[in-house]
């Protein structure tokens, strides 16, 4: 393949990562911890879960089922033209997997971080081994293993925008909404049986990780072209791994992507893969991935999808959200630590939820309004999130170091080209 130049990187990001078109398509990815109902403190071997799910056959709604390095299950929906269709299809597919596991005493649970168990690395695919080793070499061992093996999220996938101007608006709003979404859906106050002092320990783990690949792309003082910002971010980021033409996997070759370009070595395949190793809270891949939301109790996974889609896709709701989030657009740390007990975030969240509930009928999703309003009344209007439902840590075994050897590790499939709801990373 032709070797890349910096200009080629710019062109790829403008033409692929920020490909515009009429908004309206929505997808979602839900990650779940798997627990043994007879002993929630026990780790569940991944091959046991895979076997049960495989025996049940593929979900009828078209969701893709994959497995994270710690054994978490991820269901990635197909892209849908509306929230109602997405809700029905993905909800049915989650039930399909849940029903496949239940006869064997296993259950899906929604927490942003495993509240009881320490990380256990169960993956054999070279990508994940390289990722683990990269975090180990960089001094991010604890946070790296926790991110890969103990976290779970609800991810919302929305269109880039109708044109360049709309893409800029949606990019800015997605970033401004980030702290509100972290706070409103915080659901990880415990980690390995201990309180962390944060409502969203998952967001805290991301903050502890390699900043060149996990910080928001849009930061203080930056308000320009999003494709330009993402290109700079990608060029400056350290290369995590290289999959060579001879099939070898090399961890941390010790250079940024820009430095690799200067050597004249990477091609477009290498760029595409490099971009999958960058994990900012809003990531552009031809659509916008909103990656900052904790996994939630099963009843409420549709709520962040509905709220985010309504606020970005409905023009009136978007204007209200822009005004509401402007004062809190940089309060990521406060959102993770305090949730909606932060008064500024609470005010913004109430305005955003009201705007979303009002917009959903205009988007053909009236059926989701009662659930959004139920969540708002239970949490948002009271300055709370699901993290505040946890009264005390559950009983656990004595504190132990992370386990980095597999319980049982059949190889994961080789990553395949992405669609708007497929993930190639363990998050």
């Amino acid at each position: 393949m032709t070797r890349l130049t910096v200009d080629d990187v710019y062109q790829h990001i403008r033409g692929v990562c920020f490909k515009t078109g009429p908004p309206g398509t929505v997808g979602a990815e839900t990650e779940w911890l798997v627990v043994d109902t007879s002993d929630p403190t026990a780790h569940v071997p991944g091959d046991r879960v895979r076997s049960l799910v495989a025996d049940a056959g593929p979900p009828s709604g078209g969701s893709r089922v994959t497995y994270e390095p710690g054994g978490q299950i991820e269901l990635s929906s197909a892209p849908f033209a509306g929230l109602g269709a997405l809700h029905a299809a993905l909800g049915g597919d989650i039930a399909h997997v849940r029903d496949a596991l239940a006869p064997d005493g296993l259950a899906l649970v929604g927490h942003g971080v495993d509240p009881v168990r320490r990380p256990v690395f169960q993956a054999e695919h070279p990508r994940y081994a390289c990722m683990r080793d990269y975090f180990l070499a960089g001094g991010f061992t604890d946070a790296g293993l926790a991110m890969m093996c103990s976290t779970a999220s609800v991810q919302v996938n929305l269109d880039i925008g109708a044109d360049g101007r709309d893409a800029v608006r949606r990019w800015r709003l997605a970033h401004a909404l980030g702290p509100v979404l972290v706070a409103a859906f915080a659901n990880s106050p415990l980690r390995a049986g201990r309180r962390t002092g944060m409502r969203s320990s998952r967001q805290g783990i991301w903050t502890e990780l390699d900043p060149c690949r996990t910080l928001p792309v849009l930061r203080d003082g930056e308000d320009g072209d999003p494709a330009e910002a993402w290109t700079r971010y990608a060029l400056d980021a350290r290369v995590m791994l290289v999959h060579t033409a001879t099939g070898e996997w090399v961890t941390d070759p010790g250079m940024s992507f820009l430095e690799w370009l200067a050597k004249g070595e990477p091609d477009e395949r290498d760029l595409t893969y490099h971009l999958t190793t960058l994990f900012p809270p809003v990531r552009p891949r031809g659509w916008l991935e909103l990656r900052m939301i904790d996994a939630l109790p099963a009843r409420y996974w549709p709520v962040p999808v509905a709220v985010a889609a309504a606020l970005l896709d409905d023009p009136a709701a978007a204007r209200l959200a822009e005004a509401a989030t402007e004062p809190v657009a940089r309060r990521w740390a406060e959102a993770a630590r305090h949730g909606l007990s932060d008064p500024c975030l609470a005010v913004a969240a109430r305005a955003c939820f009201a705007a979303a509930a009002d917009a959903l009928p205009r988007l053909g999703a009236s059926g989701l309004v009662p659930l959004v309003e139920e969540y708002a009344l239970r949490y948002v209007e009271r300055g709370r999130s699901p993290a505040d439902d946890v009264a005390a840590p559950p009983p656990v075994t004595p504190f132990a170091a992370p386990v980095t050897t597999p319980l049982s590790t059949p190889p994961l499939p080789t990553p395949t080209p992405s669609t708007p709801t497929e993930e190639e990373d363990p998050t």
Side-chain angles (χ1 to χ4, degrees):
M1 297 180 70
T2 304
R3 300 305 172 187
L4 293 179
T5 67
V6 171
D7 285 342
D8 293 329
V9 176
Y10 276 89
Q11 291 303 315
H12 176 93
I13 285 178
R14 290 189 186 280
V16 176
C17 299
F18 283 93
K19 182 180 181 180
T20 57
T25 304
V26 59
E29 302 177 26
T30 61
E31 295 174 340
W32 305 89
L33 305 174
V34 181
V35 300
D36 188 324
T37 56
S38 66
D39 183 6
T41 67
H43 288 91
V44 180
D47 57 349
R48 177 182 172 192
V49 176
R50 290 184 180 89
S51 178
L52 293 168
V53 174
D55 289 346
S60 62
S63 298
R64 180 171 176 255
V65 181
T66 55
Y67 300 90
E68 303 299 333
Q72 311 96 307
I73 288 184
E74 179 177 17
L75 284 93
S76 303
S77 80
F80 287 92
L83 283 164
L86 167 66
H87 181 214
L90 183 52
D93 290 349
I94 294 168
H96 171 85
V97 172
R98 179 198 65 208
D99 293 345
L101 299 178
D104 206 49
L106 302 182
L108 302 178
V109 295
H111 298 284
V113 176
D114 195 316
V116 177
R117 301 171 296 187
R118 297 288 292 172
V120 171
F121 187 85
Q122 299 197 56
E124 281 189 342
H125 192 283
R127 172 189 170 95
Y128 299 126
C130 285
M131 182 174 292
R132 176 197 59 198
D133 294 345
Y134 173 89
F135 289 131
L136 175 63
F140 307 111
T141 305
D142 186 50
L145 281 173
M147 180 275 283
M148 297 176 71
C149 303
S150 296
T151 64
S153 70
V154 176
Q155 182 174 299
V156 186
N157 297 334
L158 299 166
D159 290 309
I160 289 288
D163 52 31
R165 182 177 179 180
D166 191 36
V168 170
R169 179 193 66 80
R170 290 167 69 86
W171 173 256
R172 293 173 181 167
L173 179 54
H175 280 85
L177 274 172
V180 172
L181 297 176
V182 169
F185 298 109
N187 187 34
S188 49
L190 304 177
R191 178 179 170 191
R194 296 183 174 186
R195 285 197 174 274
T196 66
M198 309 186 81
R199 261 56 169 211
S200 177
S201 301
R202 177 181 175 272
Q203 182 65 24
I205 288 168
W206 283 109
T207 303
E208 294 174 32
L209 277 173
D210 186 8
C212 76
R213 58 186 2 98
T214 61
L215 286 179
V217 180
L218 186 59
R219 304 176 204 171
D220 290 337
E222 295 185 3
D223 200 25
D225 177 10
E228 176 86 16
W230 183 230
T231 301
R232 291 197 308 270
Y233 192 103
L235 291 172
D236 291 342
R238 191 175 182 91
V239 177
M240 174 179 278
L241 59 92
V242 174
H243 189 197
T244 69
T246 60
E248 296 178 291
W249 294 77
V250 179
T251 302
D252 190 13
M255 56 190 169
S256 69
F257 197 83
L258 181 61
E259 290 168 335
W260 196 16
L261 279 180
K263 296 176 180 290
E265 295 176 355
D267 56 27
E268 189 167 13
R269 181 196 63 178
D270 296 315
L271 171 61
T272 300
Y273 207 83
H274 173 64
L275 294 175
T276 72
T277 70
L278 307 180
F279 312 117
V282 180
R283 184 168 70 170
R285 297 181 66 189
W287 60 94
L288 294 177
E289 293 181 340
L290 278 60
R291 305 170 55 85
M292 72 291 290
I293 302 164
D294 280 3
L296 293 166
R299 177 171 179 78
Y300 290 127
W301 73 261
V303 176
V305 183
V307 169
L311 295 178
L312 266 75
D313 286 354
D314 182 80
R319 289 191 293 271
L320 292 171
E322 287 166 355
T325 57
E326 193 278 332
V328 298
R330 303 294 185 265
R331 295 180 72 84
W332 293 93
E334 292 86 351
R337 180 162 296 279
H338 302 297
L340 294 185
S341 68
D342 180 287
C344 296
L345 286 163
V347 169
R350 287 194 289 269
C352 287
F353 269 72
D358 184 63
L360 286 170
R362 296 193 292 271
L363 298 175
S366 298
L368 285 167
V369 172
L371 188 61
V372 170
E373 291 182 338
E374 175 189 315
Y375 189 94
L377 287 172
R378 179 171 180 175
Y379 295 115
V380 179
E381 295 299 327
R382 300 169 63 192
R384 303 175 71 252
S385 73
D388 296 304
D389 288 343
V390 180
V396 294
T397 54
F399 187 91
V403 180
T404 59
T405 53
L407 294 172
S408 179
T409 56
L412 296 178
T414 300
T416 55
S418 301
T419 71
T421 52
E422 291 178 356
E423 272 289 58
E424 293 180 297
D425 59 71
T427 54

